[in-house]
Amino acid sequence: MIADPASRNVVWHDATITRSDRERLNGHRGVILWFTGLSGSGKSTLAHAVEAQLFERGCRTFVLDGDNVRHGLCADLGFSDSDRQENIRRIGEVAKLFMEAGVITLAAFVSPFRADRDRVRALVADGEYIEVYCQASLDICEQRDVKGLYAKARAGQIPEFTGISSPYEAPEAAELQIDTGSRSLEDCVAQVLDYLASQGIIPASDRA
């Protein structure tokens, strides 16, 4: 984990337009919504559905998706424990920048290790990182396996696959625990939007 810039001549530059300025213009707070869960638990589906509802309400949003990020920013990383840690570290820093721009940032990543998620939480102030645990059993996730990843993992074709040959550490105190295994997508979206409104992140009138 990189703690400090390599050069001691690198100095943080404060922007002329502040985060408060951007949030006032947007009409909502900037936060990080971190969706975590097994592959197939519905993280990306839920994140994009929540974003669609927020967009309809005029909110500034962006989804950081695990597969998409690994095509570019993290294309050099594999799936070893150390590479997974670096993957989440980079995404955490990117999500923080989006949040400081006043954007509601939705990050959908397996992010299997509790310590890595806690490091992202530690980057921001209390209430700015909202962990959304997409809870679905391994059986259900395998049934939804449209990519055939679980079958390949069980056949030994994909090493270090979360839930099969690599562990998933479930959140112990997530802000939101959503039963994506049995609840409808509409209900899951409503649960997230209700929480955002209750915390004053979006206007109460925007509740689903």
Side-chain angles (χ1 to χ4, degrees), residues 21-207:
D21 293 331
R22 296 185 179 96
E23 290 180 334
R24 185 170 59 254
L25 179 66
N26 293 344
H28 60 77
R29 289 168 49 201
V31 294
I32 298 172
L33 282 169
W34 193 277
F35 297 80
T36 179
L38 292 170
S39 177
S41 62
K43 301 178 300 300
S44 292
T45 299
L46 180 55
H48 283 284
V50 169
E51 184 190 35
Q53 289 295 313
L54 291 172
F55 182 82
E56 289 300 317
R57 290 159 170 76
C59 297
R60 304 294 195 272
T61 62
F62 194 79
V63 175
L64 297 169
D65 180 85
D67 284 349
N68 292 353
V69 166
R70 282 185 174 273
H71 274 89
L73 178 66
C74 297
D76 59 318
L77 300 177
F79 291 90
S80 66
D81 288 359
S82 59
D83 279 357
R84 288 175 189 268
Q85 178 181 346
E86 174 60 13
N87 183 56
I88 299 305
R89 187 196 71 80
R90 292 182 192 179
I91 296 310
E93 294 289 352
V94 170
K96 180 184 178 183
L97 290 174
F98 270 93
M99 183 199 73
E100 290 175 347
V103 174
I104 297 175
T105 310
L106 305 94
F109 295 84
V110 174
S111 46
F113 303 126
R114 202 172 294 125
D116 294 341
R117 299 192 301 267
D118 287 345
R119 288 189 190 98
V120 178
R121 183 187 292 275
L123 290 174
V124 299
D126 288 346
E128 294 182 342
Y129 172 94
I130 300 165
E131 196 164 75
V132 183
Y133 176 29
C134 297
Q135 187 176 34
S137 69
L138 182 59
D139 286 343
I140 289 176
C141 290
E142 290 199 64
Q143 291 171 24
R144 296 174 173 174
D145 189 17
V146 295
K147 300 177 184 177
L149 299 178
Y150 281 100
K152 290 180 180 178
R154 289 195 179 279
Q157 298 174 21
I158 304 178
E160 300 175 301
F161 189 81
T162 303
I164 303 299
S165 51
S166 185
Y168 176 77
E169 299 173 359
E172 295 179 329
E175 281 75 13
L176 283 167
Q177 180 169 312
I178 299 181
D179 186 1
T180 51
S182 63
R183 295 185 63 181
S184 70
L185 179 58
E186 182 180 26
D187 286 347
C188 294
V189 170
Q191 189 174 343
V192 177
L193 295 179
D194 283 347
Y195 181 85
L196 294 178
S198 73
Q199 300 301 305
I201 294 163
I202 60 174
S205 59
D206 286 346
R207 295 182 70 170

